[in-house]
PDB file of all heavy atoms in Angstrom:
ATOM      1  N   GLY O  91       0.807  -1.207   0.000  1.00 87.00           N
ATOM      2  CA  GLY O  91       0.000   0.000   0.000  1.00 87.00           C
ATOM      3  C   GLY O  91       0.837   1.252   0.000  1.00 87.00           C
ATOM      4  O   GLY O  91       0.528   2.221  -0.681  1.00 87.00           O
ATOM      5  N   GLN O  92       1.924   1.246   0.772  1.00 92.00           N
ATOM      6  CA  GLN O  92       2.778   2.417   0.886  1.00 92.00           C
ATOM      7  C   GLN O  92       3.913   2.370  -0.136  1.00 92.00           C
ATOM      8  O   GLN O  92       4.110   1.360  -0.817  1.00 92.00           O
ATOM      9  CB  GLN O  92       3.342   2.512   2.302  1.00 92.00           C
ATOM     10  CG  GLN O  92       2.265   2.661   3.365  1.00 92.00           C
ATOM     11  CD  GLN O  92       2.818   3.122   4.693  1.00 92.00           C
ATOM     12  OE1 GLN O  92       3.924   2.779   5.099  1.00 92.00           O
ATOM     13  NE2 GLN O  92       2.024   3.921   5.396  1.00 92.00           N
ATOM     14  N   GLY O  93       4.646   3.466  -0.247  1.00 94.00           N
ATOM     15  CA  GLY O  93       5.769   3.528  -1.170  1.00 94.00           C
ATOM     16  C   GLY O  93       6.621   4.747  -0.906  1.00 94.00           C
ATOM     17  O   GLY O  93       6.258   5.625  -0.119  1.00 94.00           O
ATOM     18  N   ILE O  94       7.749   4.803  -1.565  1.00 97.00           N
ATOM     19  CA  ILE O  94       8.695   5.900  -1.353  1.00 97.00           C
ATOM     20  C   ILE O  94       8.117   7.228  -1.833  1.00 97.00           C
ATOM     21  O   ILE O  94       7.630   7.352  -2.958  1.00 97.00           O
ATOM     22  CB  ILE O  94      10.029   5.618  -2.063  1.00 97.00           C
ATOM     23  CG1 ILE O  94      10.781   4.493  -1.350  1.00 97.00           C
ATOM     24  CG2 ILE O  94      10.894   6.888  -2.114  1.00 97.00           C
ATOM     25  CD1 ILE O  94      12.106   4.146  -1.993  1.00 97.00           C
ATOM     26  N   LYS O  95       8.186   8.223  -0.955  1.00 97.00           N
ATOM     27  CA  LYS O  95       7.817   9.601  -1.293  1.00 97.00           C
ATOM     28  C   LYS O  95       9.072  10.378  -1.665  1.00 97.00           C
ATOM     29  O   LYS O  95       9.175  10.949  -2.746  1.00 97.00           O
ATOM     30  CB  LYS O  95       7.104  10.249  -0.110  1.00 97.00           C
ATOM     31  CG  LYS O  95       6.659  11.680  -0.333  1.00 97.00           C
ATOM     32  CD  LYS O  95       5.922  12.195   0.912  1.00 97.00           C
ATOM     33  CE  LYS O  95       5.412  13.609   0.738  1.00 97.00           C
ATOM     34  NZ  LYS O  95       4.705  14.080   1.977  1.00 97.00           N
ATOM     35  N   SER O  96      10.029  10.421  -0.764  1.00 98.00           N
ATOM     36  CA  SER O  96      11.329  11.036  -1.066  1.00 98.00           C
ATOM     37  C   SER O  96      12.411  10.056  -0.662  1.00 98.00           C
ATOM     38  O   SER O  96      12.337   9.440   0.413  1.00 98.00           O
ATOM     39  CB  SER O  96      11.497  12.356  -0.323  1.00 98.00           C
ATOM     40  OG  SER O  96      11.451  12.163   1.076  1.00 98.00           O
ATOM     41  N   PRO O  97      13.432   9.882  -1.503  1.00 98.00           N
ATOM     42  CA  PRO O  97      14.495   8.932  -1.182  1.00 98.00           C
ATOM     43  C   PRO O  97      15.405   9.473  -0.084  1.00 98.00           C
ATOM     44  O   PRO O  97      15.653  10.677   0.005  1.00 98.00           O
ATOM     45  CB  PRO O  97      15.243   8.774  -2.499  1.00 98.00           C
ATOM     46  CG  PRO O  97      14.963  10.032  -3.253  1.00 98.00           C
ATOM     47  CD  PRO O  97      13.592  10.465  -2.845  1.00 98.00           C
ATOM     48  N   GLY O  98      15.889   8.573   0.760  1.00 98.00           N
ATOM     49  CA  GLY O  98      16.808   8.958   1.813  1.00 98.00           C
ATOM     50  C   GLY O  98      18.190   9.266   1.278  1.00 98.00           C
ATOM     51  O   GLY O  98      18.491   9.064   0.087  1.00 98.00           O
ATOM     52  N   SER O  99      19.047   9.740   2.156  1.00 97.00           N
ATOM     53  CA  SER O  99      20.425  10.026   1.800  1.00 97.00           C
ATOM     54  C   SER O  99      21.112   8.769   1.279  1.00 97.00           C
ATOM     55  O   SER O  99      21.026   7.711   1.898  1.00 97.00           O
ATOM     56  CB  SER O  99      21.169  10.552   3.034  1.00 97.00           C
ATOM     57  OG  SER O  99      22.536  10.713   2.775  1.00 97.00           O
ATOM     58  N   ARG O 100      21.736   8.877   0.099  1.00 97.00           N
ATOM     59  CA  ARG O 100      22.481   7.794  -0.542  1.00 97.00           C
ATOM     60  C   ARG O 100      21.593   6.722  -1.149  1.00 97.00           C
ATOM     61  O   ARG O 100      22.107   5.760  -1.724  1.00 97.00           O
ATOM     62  CB  ARG O 100      23.492   7.161   0.427  1.00 97.00           C
ATOM     63  CG  ARG O 100      24.546   8.130   0.951  1.00 97.00           C
ATOM     64  CD  ARG O 100      25.376   7.508   2.070  1.00 97.00           C
ATOM     65  NE  ARG O 100      26.092   6.319   1.625  1.00 97.00           N
ATOM     66  CZ  ARG O 100      26.757   5.505   2.458  1.00 97.00           C
ATOM     67  NH1 ARG O 100      26.774   5.765   3.752  1.00 97.00           N
ATOM     68  NH2 ARG O 100      27.388   4.449   1.991  1.00 97.00           N
ATOM     69  N   ILE O 101      20.264   6.878  -1.037  1.00 98.00           N
ATOM     70  CA  ILE O 101      19.374   5.906  -1.658  1.00 98.00           C
ATOM     71  C   ILE O 101      19.282   6.188  -3.154  1.00 98.00           C
ATOM     72  O   ILE O 101      18.914   7.290  -3.566  1.00 98.00           O
ATOM     73  CB  ILE O 101      17.964   5.956  -1.030  1.00 98.00           C
ATOM     74  CG1 ILE O 101      18.003   5.471   0.413  1.00 98.00           C
ATOM     75  CG2 ILE O 101      16.968   5.141  -1.856  1.00 98.00           C
ATOM     76  CD1 ILE O 101      18.333   4.003   0.580  1.00 98.00           C
ATOM     77  N   VAL O 102      19.618   5.193  -3.949  1.00 98.00           N
ATOM     78  CA  VAL O 102      19.497   5.290  -5.402  1.00 98.00           C
ATOM     79  C   VAL O 102      18.278   4.483  -5.832  1.00 98.00           C
ATOM     80  O   VAL O 102      18.194   3.283  -5.574  1.00 98.00           O
ATOM     81  CB  VAL O 102      20.749   4.745  -6.110  1.00 98.00           C
ATOM     82  CG1 VAL O 102      20.558   4.771  -7.628  1.00 98.00           C
ATOM     83  CG2 VAL O 102      21.978   5.540  -5.707  1.00 98.00           C
ATOM     84  N   ILE O 103      17.316   5.155  -6.451  1.00 98.00           N
ATOM     85  CA  ILE O 103      16.158   4.456  -7.016  1.00 98.00           C
ATOM     86  C   ILE O 103      16.575   3.951  -8.391  1.00 98.00           C
ATOM     87  O   ILE O 103      16.795   4.724  -9.311  1.00 98.00           O
ATOM     88  CB  ILE O 103      14.935   5.374  -7.113  1.00 98.00           C
ATOM     89  CG1 ILE O 103      14.553   5.892  -5.716  1.00 98.00           C
ATOM     90  CG2 ILE O 103      13.762   4.614  -7.735  1.00 98.00           C
ATOM     91  CD1 ILE O 103      13.408   6.892  -5.723  1.00 98.00           C
ATOM     92  N   ASP O 104      16.697   2.636  -8.503  1.00 98.00           N
ATOM     93  CA  ASP O 104      17.273   2.018  -9.701  1.00 98.00           C
ATOM     94  C   ASP O 104      16.226   1.329 -10.569  1.00 98.00           C
ATOM     95  O   ASP O 104      16.560   0.793 -11.620  1.00 98.00           O
ATOM     96  CB  ASP O 104      18.348   1.013  -9.280  1.00 98.00           C
ATOM     97  CG  ASP O 104      19.381   0.752 -10.353  1.00 98.00           C
ATOM     98  OD1 ASP O 104      19.807   1.719 -11.015  1.00 98.00           O
ATOM     99  OD2 ASP O 104      19.766  -0.421 -10.551  1.00 98.00           O
ATOM    100  N   GLY O 105      14.948   1.337 -10.111  1.00 98.00           N
ATOM    101  CA  GLY O 105      13.906   0.712 -10.904  1.00 98.00           C
ATOM    102  C   GLY O 105      12.536   1.255 -10.540  1.00 98.00           C
ATOM    103  O   GLY O 105      12.273   1.569  -9.376  1.00 98.00           O
ATOM    104  N   TYR O 106      11.677   1.388 -11.548  1.00 98.00           N
ATOM    105  CA  TYR O 106      10.336   1.948 -11.368  1.00 98.00           C
ATOM    106  C   TYR O 106       9.290   1.046 -12.017  1.00 98.00           C
ATOM    107  O   TYR O 106       9.551   0.407 -13.052  1.00 98.00           O
ATOM    108  CB  TYR O 106      10.228   3.327 -12.012  1.00 98.00           C
ATOM    109  CG  TYR O 106      11.033   4.422 -11.363  1.00 98.00           C
ATOM    110  CD1 TYR O 106      12.362   4.636 -11.708  1.00 98.00           C
ATOM    111  CD2 TYR O 106      10.461   5.258 -10.409  1.00 98.00           C
ATOM    112  CE1 TYR O 106      13.108   5.661 -11.119  1.00 98.00           C
ATOM    113  CE2 TYR O 106      11.188   6.294  -9.822  1.00 98.00           C
ATOM    114  CZ  TYR O 106      12.514   6.476 -10.182  1.00 98.00           C
ATOM    115  OH  TYR O 106      13.243   7.494  -9.596  1.00 98.00           O
ATOM    116  N   ALA O 107       8.085   1.028 -11.415  1.00 97.00           N
ATOM    117  CA  ALA O 107       6.931   0.421 -12.069  1.00 97.00           C
ATOM    118  C   ALA O 107       6.460   1.338 -13.200  1.00 97.00           C
ATOM    119  O   ALA O 107       6.908   2.486 -13.331  1.00 97.00           O
ATOM    120  CB  ALA O 107       5.809   0.205 -11.055  1.00 97.00           C
ATOM    121  N   ASP O 108       5.529   0.815 -13.993  1.00 95.00           N
ATOM    122  CA  ASP O 108       5.033   1.582 -15.136  1.00 95.00           C
ATOM    123  C   ASP O 108       4.418   2.911 -14.723  1.00 95.00           C
ATOM    124  O   ASP O 108       4.423   3.870 -15.505  1.00 95.00           O
ATOM    125  CB  ASP O 108       3.977   0.765 -15.892  1.00 95.00           C
ATOM    126  CG  ASP O 108       4.532  -0.536 -16.451  1.00 95.00           C
ATOM    127  OD1 ASP O 108       5.741  -0.598 -16.724  1.00 95.00           O
ATOM    128  OD2 ASP O 108       3.755  -1.486 -16.612  1.00 95.00           O
ATOM    129  N   ASP O 109       3.853   2.984 -13.509  1.00 94.00           N
ATOM    130  CA  ASP O 109       3.180   4.212 -13.065  1.00 94.00           C
ATOM    131  C   ASP O 109       4.106   5.170 -12.319  1.00 94.00           C
ATOM    132  O   ASP O 109       3.656   6.159 -11.750  1.00 94.00           O
ATOM    133  CB  ASP O 109       1.969   3.871 -12.191  1.00 94.00           C
ATOM    134  CG  ASP O 109       2.358   3.170 -10.894  1.00 94.00           C
ATOM    135  OD1 ASP O 109       3.555   2.856 -10.709  1.00 94.00           O
ATOM    136  OD2 ASP O 109       1.466   2.932 -10.055  1.00 94.00           O
ATOM    137  N   GLY O 110       5.404   4.873 -12.314  1.00 95.00           N
ATOM    138  CA  GLY O 110       6.371   5.752 -11.669  1.00 95.00           C
ATOM    139  C   GLY O 110       6.664   5.427 -10.222  1.00 95.00           C
ATOM    140  O   GLY O 110       7.424   6.151  -9.564  1.00 95.00           O
ATOM    141  N   THR O 111       6.089   4.355  -9.688  1.00 96.00           N
ATOM    142  CA  THR O 111       6.347   3.965  -8.306  1.00 96.00           C
ATOM    143  C   THR O 111       7.740   3.343  -8.180  1.00 96.00           C
ATOM    144  O   THR O 111       8.059   2.409  -8.925  1.00 96.00           O
ATOM    145  CB  THR O 111       5.289   2.949  -7.827  1.00 96.00           C
ATOM    146  OG1 THR O 111       4.000   3.574  -7.878  1.00 96.00           O
ATOM    147  CG2 THR O 111       5.572   2.483  -6.413  1.00 96.00           C
ATOM    148  N   PRO O 112       8.579   3.828  -7.253  1.00 97.00           N
ATOM    149  CA  PRO O 112       9.900   3.230  -7.055  1.00 97.00           C
ATOM    150  C   PRO O 112       9.783   1.769  -6.627  1.00 97.00           C
ATOM    151  O   PRO O 112       8.993   1.435  -5.741  1.00 97.00           O
ATOM    152  CB  PRO O 112      10.520   4.082  -5.951  1.00 97.00           C
ATOM    153  CG  PRO O 112       9.827   5.412  -6.069  1.00 97.00           C
ATOM    154  CD  PRO O 112       8.418   5.062  -6.442  1.00 97.00           C
ATOM    155  N   GLU O 113      10.575   0.901  -7.252  1.00 98.00           N
ATOM    156  CA  GLU O 113      10.472  -0.534  -7.003  1.00 98.00           C
ATOM    157  C   GLU O 113      11.809  -1.195  -6.665  1.00 98.00           C
ATOM    158  O   GLU O 113      11.798  -2.328  -6.166  1.00 98.00           O
ATOM    159  CB  GLU O 113       9.877  -1.231  -8.231  1.00 98.00           C
ATOM    160  CG  GLU O 113       8.435  -0.860  -8.528  1.00 98.00           C
ATOM    161  CD  GLU O 113       7.432  -1.636  -7.693  1.00 98.00           C
ATOM    162  OE1 GLU O 113       7.803  -2.675  -7.121  1.00 98.00           O
ATOM    163  OE2 GLU O 113       6.263  -1.197  -7.606  1.00 98.00           O
ATOM    164  N   ALA O 114      12.919  -0.546  -6.936  1.00 98.00           N
ATOM    165  CA  ALA O 114      14.230  -1.160  -6.687  1.00 98.00           C
ATOM    166  C   ALA O 114      15.210  -0.073  -6.247  1.00 98.00           C
ATOM    167  O   ALA O 114      15.318   0.967  -6.902  1.00 98.00           O
ATOM    168  CB  ALA O 114      14.747  -1.855  -7.946  1.00 98.00           C
ATOM    169  N   ILE O 115      15.900  -0.312  -5.139  1.00 98.00           N
ATOM    170  CA  ILE O 115      16.847   0.676  -4.600  1.00 98.00           C
ATOM    171  C   ILE O 115      18.113  -0.024  -4.106  1.00 98.00           C
ATOM    172  O   ILE O 115      18.142  -1.239  -3.901  1.00 98.00           O
ATOM    173  CB  ILE O 115      16.248   1.488  -3.430  1.00 98.00           C
ATOM    174  CG1 ILE O 115      15.884   0.576  -2.249  1.00 98.00           C
ATOM    175  CG2 ILE O 115      15.033   2.293  -3.894  1.00 98.00           C
ATOM    176  CD1 ILE O 115      15.435   1.320  -0.994  1.00 98.00           C
ATOM    177  N   TYR O 116      19.139   0.791  -3.904  1.00 98.00           N
ATOM    178  CA  TYR O 116      20.337   0.359  -3.182  1.00 98.00           C
ATOM    179  C   TYR O 116      20.952   1.589  -2.529  1.00 98.00           C
ATOM    180  O   TYR O 116      20.565   2.734  -2.828  1.00 98.00           O
ATOM    181  CB  TYR O 116      21.339  -0.351  -4.099  1.00 98.00           C
ATOM    182  CG  TYR O 116      21.931   0.496  -5.201  1.00 98.00           C
ATOM    183  CD1 TYR O 116      23.109   1.216  -5.010  1.00 98.00           C
ATOM    184  CD2 TYR O 116      21.321   0.564  -6.457  1.00 98.00           C
ATOM    185  CE1 TYR O 116      23.657   1.994  -6.023  1.00 98.00           C
ATOM    186  CE2 TYR O 116      21.853   1.331  -7.473  1.00 98.00           C
ATOM    187  CZ  TYR O 116      23.031   2.041  -7.254  1.00 98.00           C
ATOM    188  OH  TYR O 116      23.567   2.809  -8.265  1.00 98.00           O
ATOM    189  N   VAL O 117      21.900   1.356  -1.617  1.00 98.00           N
ATOM    190  CA  VAL O 117      22.557   2.451  -0.901  1.00 98.00           C
ATOM    191  C   VAL O 117      23.873   2.770  -1.599  1.00 98.00           C
ATOM    192  O   VAL O 117      24.779   1.936  -1.649  1.00 98.00           O
ATOM    193  CB  VAL O 117      22.803   2.090   0.571  1.00 98.00           C
ATOM    194  CG1 VAL O 117      23.482   3.258   1.293  1.00 98.00           C
ATOM    195  CG2 VAL O 117      21.491   1.728   1.269  1.00 98.00           C
ATOM    196  N   GLN O 118      23.954   3.964  -2.138  1.00 98.00           N
ATOM    197  CA  GLN O 118      25.136   4.371  -2.898  1.00 98.00           C
ATOM    198  C   GLN O 118      26.369   4.399  -2.010  1.00 98.00           C
ATOM    199  O   GLN O 118      26.353   4.929  -0.896  1.00 98.00           O
ATOM    200  CB  GLN O 118      24.915   5.746  -3.509  1.00 98.00           C
ATOM    201  CG  GLN O 118      26.003   6.181  -4.478  1.00 98.00           C
ATOM    202  CD  GLN O 118      25.624   7.468  -5.191  1.00 98.00           C
ATOM    203  OE1 GLN O 118      25.110   8.395  -4.583  1.00 98.00           O
ATOM    204  NE2 GLN O 118      25.852   7.522  -6.493  1.00 98.00           N
ATOM    205  N   GLY O 119      27.449   3.804  -2.492  1.00 96.00           N
ATOM    206  CA  GLY O 119      28.720   3.832  -1.776  1.00 96.00           C
ATOM    207  C   GLY O 119      28.849   2.808  -0.669  1.00 96.00           C
ATOM    208  O   GLY O 119      29.910   2.719  -0.043  1.00 96.00           O
ATOM    209  N   ALA O 120      27.800   2.032  -0.401  1.00 97.00           N
ATOM    210  CA  ALA O 120      27.890   0.996   0.635  1.00 97.00           C
ATOM    211  C   ALA O 120      28.803  -0.123   0.145  1.00 97.00           C
ATOM    212  O   ALA O 120      28.749  -0.518  -1.025  1.00 97.00           O
ATOM    213  CB  ALA O 120      26.513   0.458   0.977  1.00 97.00           C
ATOM    214  N   SER O 121      29.608  -0.663   1.040  1.00 95.00           N
ATOM    215  CA  SER O 121      30.539  -1.710   0.640  1.00 95.00           C
ATOM    216  C   SER O 121      29.901  -3.083   0.602  1.00 95.00           C
ATOM    217  O   SER O 121      30.458  -4.015   0.017  1.00 95.00           O
ATOM    218  CB  SER O 121      31.743  -1.736   1.588  1.00 95.00           C
ATOM    219  OG  SER O 121      31.344  -1.996   2.918  1.00 95.00           O
ATOM    220  N   GLY O 122      28.730  -3.240   1.210  1.00 96.00           N
ATOM    221  CA  GLY O 122      28.043  -4.521   1.216  1.00 96.00           C
ATOM    222  C   GLY O 122      26.800  -4.526   0.359  1.00 96.00           C
ATOM    223  O   GLY O 122      26.433  -3.515  -0.248  1.00 96.00           O
ATOM    224  N   PHE O 123      26.124  -5.672   0.315  1.00 98.00           N
ATOM    225  CA  PHE O 123      24.896  -5.854  -0.452  1.00 98.00           C
ATOM    226  C   PHE O 123      23.767  -5.091   0.239  1.00 98.00           C
ATOM    227  O   PHE O 123      23.450  -5.348   1.400  1.00 98.00           O
ATOM    228  CB  PHE O 123      24.575  -7.352  -0.508  1.00 98.00           C
ATOM    229  CG  PHE O 123      23.415  -7.730  -1.385  1.00 98.00           C
ATOM    230  CD1 PHE O 123      23.623  -8.311  -2.627  1.00 98.00           C
ATOM    231  CD2 PHE O 123      22.106  -7.559  -0.952  1.00 98.00           C
ATOM    232  CE1 PHE O 123      22.553  -8.709  -3.431  1.00 98.00           C
ATOM    233  CE2 PHE O 123      21.023  -7.941  -1.747  1.00 98.00           C
ATOM    234  CZ  PHE O 123      21.256  -8.513  -2.989  1.00 98.00           C
ATOM    235  N   THR O 124      23.131  -4.154  -0.468  1.00 98.00           N
ATOM    236  CA  THR O 124      22.033  -3.359   0.100  1.00 98.00           C
ATOM    237  C   THR O 124      20.819  -3.322  -0.836  1.00 98.00           C
ATOM    238  O   THR O 124      19.945  -2.466  -0.677  1.00 98.00           O
ATOM    239  CB  THR O 124      22.480  -1.909   0.382  1.00 98.00           C
ATOM    240  OG1 THR O 124      22.848  -1.275  -0.859  1.00 98.00           O
ATOM    241  CG2 THR O 124      23.654  -1.854   1.348  1.00 98.00           C
ATOM    242  N   LEU O 125      20.781  -4.227  -1.803  1.00 98.00           N
ATOM    243  CA  LEU O 125      19.674  -4.196  -2.757  1.00 98.00           C
ATOM    244  C   LEU O 125      18.350  -4.478  -2.046  1.00 98.00           C
ATOM    245  O   LEU O 125      18.269  -5.338  -1.166  1.00 98.00           O
ATOM    246  CB  LEU O 125      19.889  -5.228  -3.860  1.00 98.00           C
ATOM    247  CG  LEU O 125      20.691  -4.757  -5.083  1.00 98.00           C
ATOM    248  CD1 LEU O 125      22.075  -4.293  -4.692  1.00 98.00           C
ATOM    249  CD2 LEU O 125      20.762  -5.856  -6.131  1.00 98.00           C
ATOM    250  N   SER O 126      17.327  -3.730  -2.430  1.00 98.00           N
ATOM    251  CA  SER O 126      16.000  -3.871  -1.826  1.00 98.00           C
ATOM    252  C   SER O 126      14.953  -3.643  -2.899  1.00 98.00           C
ATOM    253  O   SER O 126      15.140  -2.825  -3.806  1.00 98.00           O
ATOM    254  CB  SER O 126      15.813  -2.850  -0.696  1.00 98.00           C
ATOM    255  OG  SER O 126      16.803  -3.009   0.304  1.00 98.00           O
ATOM    256  N   VAL O 127      13.833  -4.393  -2.785  1.00 98.00           N
ATOM    257  CA  VAL O 127      12.784  -4.310  -3.802  1.00 98.00           C
ATOM    258  C   VAL O 127      11.428  -4.158  -3.143  1.00 98.00           C
ATOM    259  O   VAL O 127      11.189  -4.653  -2.041  1.00 98.00           O
ATOM    260  CB  VAL O 127      12.794  -5.545  -4.729  1.00 98.00           C
ATOM    261  CG1 VAL O 127      14.119  -5.640  -5.473  1.00 98.00           C
ATOM    262  CG2 VAL O 127      12.501  -6.837  -3.972  1.00 98.00           C
ATOM    263  N   GLN O 128      10.512  -3.482  -3.837  1.00 97.00           N
ATOM    264  CA  GLN O 128       9.184  -3.238  -3.288  1.00 97.00           C
ATOM    265  C   GLN O 128       8.257  -4.447  -3.470  1.00 97.00           C
ATOM    266  O   GLN O 128       7.283  -4.603  -2.739  1.00 97.00           O
ATOM    267  CB  GLN O 128       8.575  -1.999  -3.953  1.00 97.00           C
ATOM    268  CG  GLN O 128       7.227  -1.583  -3.435  1.00 97.00           C
ATOM    269  CD  GLN O 128       7.236  -1.172  -1.975  1.00 97.00           C
ATOM    270  OE1 GLN O 128       7.504  -0.032  -1.649  1.00 97.00           O
ATOM    271  NE2 GLN O 128       6.947  -2.108  -1.080  1.00 97.00           N
ATOM    272  N   TRP O 129       8.571  -5.316  -4.421  1.00 97.00           N
ATOM    273  CA  TRP O 129       7.725  -6.489  -4.645  1.00 97.00           C
ATOM    274  C   TRP O 129       8.148  -7.645  -3.722  1.00 97.00           C
ATOM    275  O   TRP O 129       8.964  -7.482  -2.824  1.00 97.00           O
ATOM    276  CB  TRP O 129       7.729  -6.878  -6.112  1.00 97.00           C
ATOM    277  CG  TRP O 129       9.001  -7.458  -6.659  1.00 97.00           C
ATOM    278  CD1 TRP O 129       9.365  -8.778  -6.716  1.00 97.00           C
ATOM    279  CD2 TRP O 129      10.094  -6.741  -7.272  1.00 97.00           C
ATOM    280  NE1 TRP O 129      10.599  -8.917  -7.313  1.00 97.00           N
ATOM    281  CE2 TRP O 129      11.063  -7.694  -7.664  1.00 97.00           C
ATOM    282  CE3 TRP O 129      10.338  -5.378  -7.536  1.00 97.00           C
ATOM    283  CZ2 TRP O 129      12.261  -7.338  -8.295  1.00 97.00           C
ATOM    284  CZ3 TRP O 129      11.531  -5.019  -8.142  1.00 97.00           C
ATOM    285  CH2 TRP O 129      12.472  -5.994  -8.520  1.00 97.00           C
TER     286      TRP O 129
END
């Protein structure tokens, strides 16, 4: 139901649904795995 309104510091929105909803992010500059998905 909810979704990203404004991305946090270092959050890169790397994927969007057809309607513009952010669906895939990662933390820029992080040395570890930070991939996250809305689905």
Side-chain angles (χ1 to χ4, degrees):
Q92 299 195 325
I94 289 180
K95 180 178 182 180
S96 61
S99 174
R100 299 171 61 188
I101 293 293
V102 176
I103 300 176
D104 204 41
Y106 292 86
D108 299 333
D109 64 355
T111 298
E113 294 278 343
I115 62 173
Y116 64 90
V117 180
Q118 188 172 43
S121 60
F123 186 104
T124 63
L125 272 59
S126 302
V127 299
Q128 183 63 86
W129 70 91

